[in-house]
Amino acid sequence: MTTAPWPPRRGGQRAGGQRAGGQRLTSMGHGPDLDALTGLRSGKPSYYPEYRVSAERLRRVILALDRISAALVRTMEGSEALVRAVVEAAADHLSADWVVFALLDGALPDSRPRHLVLGPDGVEWTGLDLVPAAVRHHVRQICAGRAVEDGSDHDPETTRRHRHIPIRLDGRTVGGFVAWTPPDREIDETDNSVLRILAGQTAAALQNCALLDRSERLYARTARQADDLKQRNAELERTQQELGAARQREVLDDERHRIARELHDSVTQYALSAGMHIELCRSEIDDPRLRAQLDTAKDLTRRAVEQLRSAIYALNDDGCADKDLPAMLRRLSTVHMPDELRVEVRIGGKPVALPADTEQSLFRIAGEALFNTAVHADAGRAVVRLAYRCRQVRLTISDDGRGSPEEVRRSLRAADLAGPSGEHRGLVNMQARAREMGGSLTFRRARLGGLQVQVEIPVPGCDDTRDPRPQGRPESTEACPQGRAESTEGTRP
């Protein structure tokens, strides 16, 4: 039994069938590269050899697409890594001797490198002077925009192993691939389709790289501008706070100066006139008892004038604005006190910077306490102690006068119940200032024998400011020139 011979191959009919099949696929929405990629001219594998060729082409296409995908995911690494990856993918697919990638001058200006030459064994050639003349000529032609895109000017033997693939973006040519294969490696239509796909995806990927790089630069610039704006806003807030504080100080200074002028022009003059009238009466009276009483009245008038002058001086004195609290207390003890009262200032611990409002409040409390000591306590000595501790500042004013803690506390309670009256307003103001700072005001018996006023305020975020000196070592002591400083506060006179 003999087998029927295979029907003869008719090249013209095959070619016509291929065109018809290609037209049908195109009308169904598939691109014309599908036939070239798969190599199938019919839905039926009529001949086994042709089926084997198609399977081999399909395997090559899958491998090429896998290389292209692996190259295109390098977009996030920048255009340089992307260009090297796609050129290596083209060289691996074609087993090429030489592969050239180049961009037109002015096209995709953010992409780097502008050209890349991959030689035999995958070696990158950085200098164009060392590559073959034909390779160097193609690179320069592409960069100048004069490259032949279809290779129609080459002879058939060269065209079999040499291809030009343009890189197009938005309908215009922005660069190209050029490849040369070994003599035993022919470039067929499947290779052309793979290279066209690679070129199209490379153009889009390079544009994405440029957009990504531009967006990262814009984001960095926006972040810098945001930081700058934040700093400027912080500076503006600080400036506004400083301006507000300066305005408050200006208002307070104006009010203090007004009060000082009124005290000088009215109350002080009345006190001086009273003293003059007392002296006039004293000169006309011979009774010793009455003269003694007039002497006492004159002395009280003199003390009142001294206190008024000290108050006027303090109200007009703006020199404390740029000084720290210890310096202000020393100035208070030496300038604003009467000659009969010796005042010592002691600083314990390491001084820390406090808010200006806090230092002013503590200074006012110390001034009010010393004023009460000078006027009401009949004291000859007072000690002001400022102790810096961890998270706390303590201010104490002690004297050797005749003040009673119980009487002062009763007077303060009575002033709180009486409401806003002029009586004991100094004590009320001291207590109010301590509360505003979040601290406490206490009155107790001093070791000197008189009254001790103590204020304790918290200092958030303060470092350990305890006195680093050994135990038993005396603190620093400041005293007015009239008297000798004592070594410790607890010594009785």
Side-chain angles (χ1 to χ4, degrees):
M1 180 176 177
T2 60
T3 58
W6 291 97
R9 297 182 178 180
R10 289 171 293 181
Q13 294 179 358
R14 286 178 53 196
Q18 180 180 359
R19 287 194 300 272
Q23 293 173 357
R24 287 192 299 270
L25 287 174
T26 302
S27 63
M28 293 173 63
H30 298 286
D33 292 333
L34 185 59
D35 287 345
L37 287 174
T38 60
L40 292 176
R41 299 175 176 84
S42 173
K44 299 179 181 180
S46 302
Y47 303 97
Y48 183 67
E50 185 174 349
Y51 179 76
R52 289 178 56 191
V53 172
S54 299
E56 177 62 21
R57 288 180 176 177
L58 183 61
R59 186 187 68 82
R60 286 169 50 196
V61 168
I62 293 174
L63 291 177
L65 293 178
D66 182 67
R67 294 190 187 100
I68 293 173
S69 300
L72 294 178
V73 298
R74 309 282 299 271
T75 302
M76 298 294 296
E77 301 178 23
S79 60
E80 187 172 354
L82 174 66
V83 168
R84 285 186 170 83
V86 296
V87 172
E88 290 174 358
D92 290 342
H93 173 69
L94 296 175
S95 302
D97 285 339
W98 295 90
V99 175
V100 168
F101 165 85
L103 295 173
L104 272 68
D105 294 337
L108 296 174
D110 296 330
S111 298
R112 294 291 184 276
R114 303 300 296 175
H115 64 267
L116 182 65
V117 178
L118 211 62
D121 298 327
V123 178
E124 180 180 345
W125 292 66
T126 56
L128 291 180
D129 296 336
L130 302 178
V131 302
V135 175
R136 182 169 59 252
H137 172 74
H138 280 77
V139 172
R140 292 174 177 172
Q141 288 292 98
I142 294 176
C143 292
R146 297 191 299 269
V148 178
E149 297 186 356
D150 55 1
S152 58
D153 59 337
H154 298 307
D155 57 81
E157 179 61 23
T158 302
T159 304
R160 189 175 64 87
R161 301 174 38 248
H162 175 54
R163 282 292 187 277
H164 300 255
I165 304 296
I167 299 175
R168 290 190 174 91
L169 182 64
D170 297 333
R172 57 187 178 88
T173 301
V174 297
F177 285 102
V178 184
W180 291 264
T181 59
D184 58 345
R185 176 64 169 86
E186 181 178 354
I187 302 176
D188 55 18
E189 289 302 319
T190 300
D191 299 324
N192 283 337
S193 299
V194 170
L195 292 177
R196 282 194 292 269
I197 293 173
L198 179 61
Q201 296 299 318
T202 299
L206 285 176
Q207 188 178 39
N208 290 338
C209 281
L211 293 175
L212 177 62
D213 183 66
R214 190 176 307 171
S215 65
E216 289 178 348
R217 291 198 302 269
L218 289 175
Y219 178 80
R221 185 172 67 181
T222 303
R224 290 194 299 270
Q225 291 177 349
D227 292 340
D228 182 67
L229 182 60
K230 183 178 179 180
Q231 294 177 359
R232 291 177 182 270
N233 286 336
E235 292 177 358
L236 179 60
E237 290 178 357
R238 288 194 299 268
T239 303
Q240 289 177 343
Q241 293 175 357
E242 292 174 358
L243 288 175
R247 178 57 181 166
Q248 290 179 356
R249 287 195 298 269
E250 181 181 1
V251 172
L252 290 175
D253 289 342
D254 292 342
E255 184 65 15
R256 287 165 53 204
H257 295 162
R258 184 189 66 81
I259 296 173
R261 286 194 302 270
E262 291 183 357
L263 289 176
H264 179 271
D265 297 339
S266 60
V267 180
T268 304
Q269 301 302 322
Y270 294 153
L272 290 174
S273 299
M276 294 174 60
H277 282 81
I278 292 173
E279 180 62 26
L280 181 61
C281 293
R282 180 178 176 277
S283 64
E284 297 179 356
I285 294 176
D286 296 330
D287 188 350
R289 185 179 61 83
L290 294 177
R291 288 176 66 90
Q293 292 179 358
L294 289 174
D295 288 339
T296 302
K298 182 180 178 180
D299 183 66
L300 292 175
T301 304
R302 181 183 61 82
R303 291 195 178 193
V305 171
E306 289 179 355
Q307 292 301 321
L308 284 171
R309 286 175 176 172
S310 297
I312 292 171
Y313 186 87
L315 289 170
N316 284 318
D317 185 18
D318 298 331
C320 296
D322 298 329
K323 298 179 180 178
D324 56 5
L325 183 57
M328 290 191 291
L329 293 177
R330 295 185 185 105
R331 183 178 178 84
L332 177 66
S333 66
T334 57
V335 176
H336 303 307
M337 293 296 109
D339 295 340
E340 294 82 0
L341 180 64
R342 292 187 300 123
V343 180
E344 302 168 12
V345 178
R346 299 174 181 175
I347 309 300
K350 181 181 179 182
V352 296
L354 299 175
D357 295 341
T358 301
E359 291 191 345
Q360 285 293 327
S361 296
L362 291 174
F363 174 72
R364 297 301 178 192
I365 291 175
E368 182 66 29
L370 288 175
F371 178 82
N372 291 337
T373 298
V375 175
H376 304 294
D378 194 20
R381 175 168 170 251
V383 177
V384 179
R385 186 176 187 274
L386 180 64
Y388 292 92
R389 302 174 181 270
C390 182
R391 301 186 181 276
Q392 187 186 70
V393 173
R394 176 185 294 172
L395 173 67
T396 58
I397 302 94
S398 305
D399 61 54
D400 59 353
R402 53 185 176 82
S404 171
E406 293 78 9
E407 183 179 353
V408 172
R409 284 193 286 267
R410 284 196 300 269
S411 300
L412 183 58
R413 286 195 296 269
D416 289 337
L417 295 175
S421 62
E423 190 175 5
H424 305 301
R425 291 308 303 172
L427 296 175
V428 175
N429 291 336
M430 292 167 62
Q431 187 178 55
R433 291 181 186 275
R435 289 176 178 174
E436 288 175 358
M437 294 183 290
S440 61
L441 175 69
T442 57
F443 302 95
R444 58 170 59 93
R445 179 65 62 184
R447 294 181 181 180
L448 294 176
L451 179 68
Q452 182 188 80
V453 180
Q454 178 174 291
V455 182
E456 290 184 348
I457 63 169
V459 182
C462 176
D463 296 332
D464 192 353
T465 56
R466 290 174 295 183
D467 196 345
R469 294 171 302 198
Q471 294 292 332
R473 185 174 179 179
E475 299 171 339
S476 61
T477 303
E478 297 286 343
C480 59
Q482 286 81 355
R484 180 171 54 87
E486 299 292 340
S487 60
T488 60
E489 183 182 338
T491 304
R492 292 184 179 272

